[in-house]
C-alpha cells in the first residue's frame, strides 16, 4: 500500500511517501503564500492509495484531497518512535511553535505541551533576535557556540527581549555572549516544558530547531545526556502522518514494546 | 411568542443604549450562535426554547424587565454566584447576571484598566462604557463583591458609571468567616430594602428559596442525564441553559428546563445521543463562561469530543447545592442562605480542597475520560490553582489539558490543535 504523509505547516510543506511500510521518498518545500497549492503539487507527484495530513493546514488538506487527519502531536510521536524505537520523548522547535511530547512504546501519546499564541521559545523568537543583530539564525548559532560565556537575557517575550538585546548591545556586551544568552533562554523555557510533561530519555530533537547546533548542544547539556537528532528533522511529522495512514488500514505494526526509563 | 417583528429601538433608546454600537453587537451574536449552536445535529427539541431566548436576549426579556419596573419592581445586577438571588427575589427584585463573554469597547476600557486584566472584568466594564448592555442599563443597583483583586478594584471605577454596592466576601471558610458572612447578608438585606422600598419577610424569603431551589433542581436533572453514554445533550447546550439561568424568568425557566430533562431522560432510556458512544468525554473546570463565550466547548465538540460536565460558576457551582427549606423563622432562613452560599468552591478562597474533591467526584460521576482546565488569562487565582487541580487529577489517572485563554479568536487555531491532540490521546 502507498501512503502519503503531508505536514502542511505555515513555513514549509513536508511530505513522506511510504510503500508497504517503508519510506520511499521525502520532500520539504517552501510553503510560500499558498501552502495548499504546494501540497497539491506533492499529492500529484506520485500515485498513492491514501493521504494523511497533519500540521496547521491539515483540515484544509482534508477537504481538498480527501485526506485523513492527525494532529502534529500525534504525528510527531509516531514519526519519532519509528526513527528511534527506544525514544520516549520528543522536542520539536518549529518556526511558529514549540512542542514537547511524552510517549509510550509505539508512539502512543501520554502527555504533551505546546506553546500558546505567543512566539516565546520558538524558532521565530531566534529569528527576530538574529534580525536585531543583522545576521541570519545560522550565523547567530555559530557565534553562540564559539562564545566564551553568556549574558543572561531575562525576558522571554519577543518584543521585550528585542529591546533588552538592543540595550545590551548599546552597553557594549559582546554579540556572541548575547547570542548564547538568547539560545539559553529558549532552552530554559523548553526544559521547563520537558519537566512539566515528565519527559523521559531518550529524547528526540526534531523540527527546524534541531538543525541549530547551539540549541542541540544546550538541550543536551540541560538534560545531562544525549539527544537523538532526527536525520531529516523537518519530515518527522510527515513520516508520522504516513505511518498513521498505513496503520489505519492495518498494514504496518505501530506498537513495539521497549523497556521504560527514568524521568529526565 | 408571536411572529410579528417588534421594534425595540424606542425601548433601547429610553434605556440609554448607544444604538449604533448596539446594532453591531446584535449582528455579531446571532452569527456566533448560529455557528456554534444551530449547526449541531440531533439537538433535544426542548432547546428550541433557548433558541428563542437567545433571539430575544435584548428584546422580549428586556421588555419584561422594563414592564416589571414600571409596575414598581426593581432590577438588581450581580457578577458572582455568591450573591443570593433569593433575597433579591423576596424583595420584589429581578436578579440579572451581568458578566459578559465578549470583547467590547476595549479601547475605552484600557483607558481605565490595565491591559493585563482578565477578560471577564474588561468585558463587563466594556459593556457598560460602550452602552450596549440593556441589562446593566435597567439595573437599579449593581452588586459587586470582594472576590479577586481585579474585581474588587474595578468596582471602584465602575461605581463612577453605575450605582454599585460591594459585599465583602471572606477568603476562608472558618466558623468566624461564616459568622461574618451571615452579618454581611444582613447588610445586603438592609441595602436592598432601601433600594426596593420593601421589607423582607419570612414568607417571601421561603417562597423565593423554594422557587430558586426548584430552578436548581431542574438544572440538576438536566445535568444528571449527561452521565449517560452516549451523552443525550451537547456540552454547549447544557452550558447555555446555565448561562441563561442567570437572567431568565425563574418559574418559566424551571418549567422549560424540566421539559428538556424529561426529553433527555427518554433519550437516555432509548440510548439516543448527540455524540457517538466512543466520543471522548471531557469535564471542563475553571473560570465562568458567560454568553456569548462558547469558545472552548465549541472547539472540543467540533473536534469530535463531548463535554459532559462543567465544574464552574456557569455549571455545577451554580446548581449543585440547595438552600435548606427547613427554617421556621426569618433568622433561620437567613442562616440557611449563609451556609449554602459560603459553600461555593471558588479559587478566591484558601484552602480550596472542596473544588478538587468536586472535580474528582464529577469526573467519576460523568465518566469523564479527561479534564480540561480552563482559565482566563490574568486570573491569578484560577491559573495558580490549576497546578493543584492538574496534579490531583493526574494522580487519579485523569489526563489534563490546561487552557489559558481570553475572549479573542486569535488563538483558536492553536487551541484546536491542542484540543484535537488531547482527544486523540484520550481515544488511543
Ligand atoms: S469564579 Fe469565583 S468570583 Fe467568579 S463568579 Fe464564581 S465564585 Fe464569583
Ligand atoms: S476570572 Fe479570575 S480574575 Fe477574572 S473576575 Fe473571575 S476570579 Fe477575578
Amino acid at each position: 500500500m502507498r501512503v502519503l504523509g503531508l505536514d502542511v505547516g505555515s513555513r514549509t510543506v513536508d511530505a513522506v511517501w511510504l510503500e508497504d511500510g517503508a519510506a520511499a521518498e521525502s520532500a520539504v518545500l517552501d510553503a510560500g503564500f499558498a501552502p495548499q497549492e504546494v501540497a497539491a503539487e506533492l499529492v500529484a507527484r506520485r500515485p498513492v492509495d491514501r493521504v494523511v495530513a497533519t500540521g496547521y493546514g491539515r483540515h484544509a488538506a482534508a477537504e481538498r484531497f480527501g485526506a485523513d487527519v492527525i494532529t502534529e502531536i500525534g504525528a510527531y510521536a509516531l514519526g519519532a518512535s519509528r526513527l528511534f524505537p527506544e525514544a520516549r520523548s520528543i522536542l520539536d522547535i518549529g518556526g511558529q511553535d514549540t512542542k514537547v511530547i511524552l510517549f509510550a512504546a509505539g508512539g502512543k501519546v501520554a502527555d504533551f505541551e505546546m506553546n500558546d499564541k505567543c512566539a516565546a521559545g520558538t524558532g521565530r523568537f531566534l529569528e527576530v533576535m538574529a534580525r536585531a543583530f543583522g545576521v541570519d539564525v545560522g550565523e547567530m548559532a555559530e557565534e553562540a557556540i564559539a562564545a566564551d560565556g553568556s549574558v543572561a537575557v531575562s525576558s522571554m517575550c519577543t518584543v521585550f527581549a528585542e529591546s533588552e538585546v538592543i540595550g545590551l548591545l548599546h552597553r557594549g556586551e559582546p554579540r556572541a555572549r548575547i547570542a548564547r544568552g538568547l539560545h539559553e533562554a529558549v532552552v530554559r523555557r523548553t526544559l521547563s516544558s520537558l519537566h512539566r510533561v515528565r519527559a523521559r530519555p531518550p529524547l528526540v530533537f526534531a523540527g527546524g530547531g534541531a538543525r541549530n547546533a547551539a540549541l542541540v548542544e544546550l538541550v543536551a547539556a540541560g538534560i545531562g545526556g544525549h539527544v537523538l537528532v532526527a536525520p531529516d528533522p523537518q519530515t518527522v511529522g510527515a513520516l508520522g502522518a504516513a505511518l498513521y495512514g498505513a496503520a489505519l488500514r492495518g498494514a504496518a505494526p505501530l506498537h513495539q514494546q521497549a523497556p521504560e526509563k527514568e524521568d529526565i | 411568542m408571536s411572529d410579528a417583528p417588534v421594534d425595540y429601538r424606542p425601548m433601547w433608546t429610553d434605556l440609554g443604549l448607544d444604538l449604533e454600537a448596539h446594532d453591531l453587537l446584535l449582528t455579531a451574536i446571532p452569527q456566533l450562535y448560529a455557528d456554534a449552536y444551530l449547526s449541531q445535529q440531533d439537538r433535544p427539541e426542548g432547546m428550541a426554547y433557548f433558541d428563542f431566548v437567545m433571539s430575544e436576549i435584548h428584546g422580549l426579556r428586556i421588555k419584561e424587565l422594563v414592564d416589571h419596573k414600571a409596575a414598581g419592581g426593581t432590577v438588581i445586577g450581580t457578577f458572582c454566584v455568591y450573591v443570593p438571588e433569593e433575597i433579591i427575589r423576596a424583595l420584589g427584585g429581578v436578579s440579572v447576571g451581568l458578566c459578559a463573554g465578549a470583547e467590547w469597547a476595549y479601547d475605552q476600557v484600557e483607558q481605565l484598566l490595565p491591559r493585563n486584566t482578565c477578560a471577564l472584568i474588561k468585558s463587563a466594564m466594556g459593556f457598560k462604557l460602550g452602552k450596549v448592555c440593556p441589562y446593566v442599563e435597567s439595573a437599579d443597583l449593581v452588586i459587586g463583591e470582594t472576590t479577586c483583586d481585579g474585581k474588587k478594584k474595578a468596582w471602584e471605577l465602575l461605581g463612577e458609571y453605575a450605582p454599585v454596592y460591594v459585599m465583602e466576601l471572606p477568603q476562608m471558610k472558618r466558623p468566624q468567616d461564616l459568622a461574618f458572612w451571615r452579618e454581611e447578608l444582613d447588610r445586603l438585606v438592609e441595602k436592598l430594602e432601601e433600594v426596593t422600598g420593601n421589607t423582607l419577610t419570612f414568607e417571601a424569603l421561603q417562597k423565593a428559596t423554594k422557587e430558586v431551589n426548584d430552578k436548581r433542581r431542574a438544572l440538576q436533572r438536566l445535568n444528571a442525564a449527561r452521565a449517560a453514554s452516549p451523552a443525550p445533550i451537547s456540552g454547549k447546550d447544557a452550558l447555555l441553559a446555565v448561562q441563561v439561568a442567570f437572567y431568565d424568568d425563574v418559574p418559566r425557566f424551571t418549567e422549560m428546563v424540566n421539559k428538556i430533562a424529561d426529553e433527555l431522560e427518554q433519550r437516555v432510556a432509548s440510548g439516543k445521543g448527540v455524540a457517538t458512544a466512543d466520543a471522548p468525554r471531557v469535564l471542563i473546570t475553571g473560570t465562568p463562561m458567560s454568553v456569548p463565550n462558547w469558545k472552548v466547548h465549541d472547539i472540543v465538540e467540533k473536534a469530535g469530543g463531548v463535554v459532559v460536565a462543567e465544574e464552574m460558576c456557569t455549571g455545577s457551582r451554580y446548581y449543585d447545592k440547595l438552600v435548606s427549606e427547613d427554617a421556621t423563622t426569618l433568622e433561620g432562613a437567613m442562616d440557611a442562605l449563609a451556609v449554602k452560599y459560603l459553600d461555593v468552591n471558588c479559587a478566591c478562597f484558601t484552602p480550596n480542597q472542596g473544588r478538587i474533591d468536586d472535580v474528582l467526584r464529577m469526573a467519576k460521576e460523568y465518566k469523564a475520560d479527561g479534564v480540561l482546565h480552563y482559565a482566563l488569562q490574568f486570573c491569578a487565582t484560577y491559573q495558580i490553582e490549576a497546578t493543584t487541580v492538574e496534579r490531583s487529577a493526574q494522580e487519579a489517572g485523569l489526563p489534563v489539558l490546561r487552557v489559558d485563554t481570553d475572549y479573542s479568536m486569535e488563538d483558536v487555531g492553536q487551541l484546536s490543535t491542542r484540543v484535537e491532540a488531547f482527544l486523540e490521546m484520550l481515544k488511543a
Side-chain angles (χ1 to χ4, degrees), chain B residues 151-326:
Chain B
K151 275 179 157 186
K152 194 158 63 192
K153 299 308 287 183
W155 305 141
E156 296 170 14
L157 296 167
L158 185 65
E160 294 170 16
Y161 303 86
V164 174
Y165 173 81
V166 179
M167 294 183 76
E168 182 172 349
L169 191 74
Q171 315 242 300
M172 294 177 83
K173 294 178 181 172
R174 301 160 305 181
Q176 61 268 42
D177 299 310
L178 178 61
F180 172 82
W181 177 237
R182 173 69 184 79
E183 286 167 24
E184 195 59 13
L185 291 191
D186 280 342
R187 284 184 281 271
L188 176 70
V189 170
E190 214 173 289
K191 177 70 189 179
L192 286 172
E193 286 184 337
E194 175 200 316
V195 173
T196 62
N198 297 327
T199 306
L200 187 68
T201 64
F202 172 62
E203 291 70 28
L205 186 55
Q206 277 304 83
K207 181 165 178 280
T209 297
K210 168 88 178 50
E211 286 166 344
V212 176
N213 272 347
D214 284 344
K215 166 160 79 164
R216 295 198 184 97
R217 286 189 192 99
L219 286 168
Q220 288 173 359
R221 273 188 70 203
L222 182 151
N223 281 279
R226 300 168 75 191
S229 176
I233 182 170
S234 66
K236 250 183 294 196
D237 277 329
L239 170 67
L240 181 63
V242 183
Q243 289 175 330
V244 169
F246 283 87
Y247 59 85
D248 201 7
D249 177 73
V250 177
R252 177 178 61 209
F253 176 88
T254 304
E255 187 193 327
M256 293 300 178
V257 171
N258 272 318
K259 274 194 192 145
I260 298 177
D262 291 339
E263 190 183 345
L264 297 187
E265 284 160 13
Q266 281 163 18
R267 281 187 166 209
V268 172
S270 63
K272 184 173 161 67
V274 289
T276 52
D278 64 353
R281 300 166 66 88
V282 179
L283 174 135
I284 302 189
T285 174
T287 48
M289 299 172 173
S290 309
V291 173
N293 176 16
W294 306 301
K295 178 172 161 178
V296 172
H297 279 63
D298 196 41
I299 291 175
V300 171
E301 298 194 328
K302 282 191 174 144
V306 58
V307 178
V308 291
E310 294 81 21
E311 188 285 318
M312 55 177 58
C313 284
T314 47
S316 64
R317 275 181 239 144
Y318 180 72
Y319 60 74
D320 73 349
K321 285 163 190 149
L322 302 176
V323 179
S324 164
E325 294 173 22
D326 300 339

Side-chain angles (χ1 to χ4, degrees), chain A residues 58-59 69-75 96-97 108-112 114-117 198, chain B residues 377 390-391 394 400-401 404 406 408 410-411 414 416-418 420-422 424-425 428:
Chain A
R58 66 191 177 284
H59 290 299
V69 293
I70 179 171
T71 61
E72 297 92 295
I73 310 290
Q96 304 278 17
D97 53 43
K108 184 175 173 323
V109 176
D111 202 358
F112 67 92
M114 199 171 154
N115 67 304
D116 45 31
K117 58 187 165 189
R198 300 191 189 87
Chain B
Q377 239 161 17
E390 182 175 31
R391 214 185 279 148
Q394 282 175 345
V400 178
L401 181 70
D404 292 339
D406 55 24
S408 76
E410 290 162 30
D411 60 345
Q414 188 85 331
S416 302
T417 300
R418 293 179 59 213
E420 281 174 43
F422 186 59
E424 282 173 2
M425 187 174 122

Side-chain angles (χ1 to χ4, degrees), chain A residues 150-224:
Chain A
S150 69
V151 182
V153 178
S154 51
S155 190
M156 267 320 287
C157 164
T158 312
V159 179
F160 291 139
E162 192 177 4
S163 41
E164 195 178 335
V165 161
I166 291 167
L168 290 169
L169 285 171
H170 281 302
R171 267 205 344 240
E173 290 289 353
R175 203 165 77 179
R177 288 178 170 226
I178 305 174
R180 190 163 178 99
L182 286 166
H183 284 82
E184 284 173 356
V186 169
V187 170
R188 246 195 332 270
R189 193 172 168 107
T190 304
L191 288 174
S192 58
S193 291
L194 285 168
H195 285 302
R196 273 195 300 270
V197 304
R198 300 191 189 87
R200 293 158 189 252
L203 174 75
V204 179
F205 195 174
R211 307 179 114 174
N212 179 323
L215 288 178
V216 174
E217 182 188 310
L218 291 168
V219 169
I223 65 167

Side-chain angles (χ1 to χ4, degrees), chain B residues 370-383:
Chain B
V371 172
L372 188 154
H373 190 284
Y374 166 83
L376 286 175
Q377 239 161 17
F378 312 121
C379 170
T381 52
Y382 280 88
Q383 286 185 303

Side-chain angles (χ1 to χ4, degrees), chain B residues 133-166:
Chain B
C133 174
Y135 291 91
V136 69
E137 300 307 329
S138 325
D140 298 285
L141 183 72
V142 172
I143 303 177
E145 16 52 50
T146 59
T147 42
C148 65
D149 290 350
K151 275 179 157 186
K152 194 158 63 192
K153 299 308 287 183
W155 305 141
E156 296 170 14
L157 296 167
L158 185 65
E160 294 170 16
Y161 303 86
V164 174
Y165 173 81
V166 179

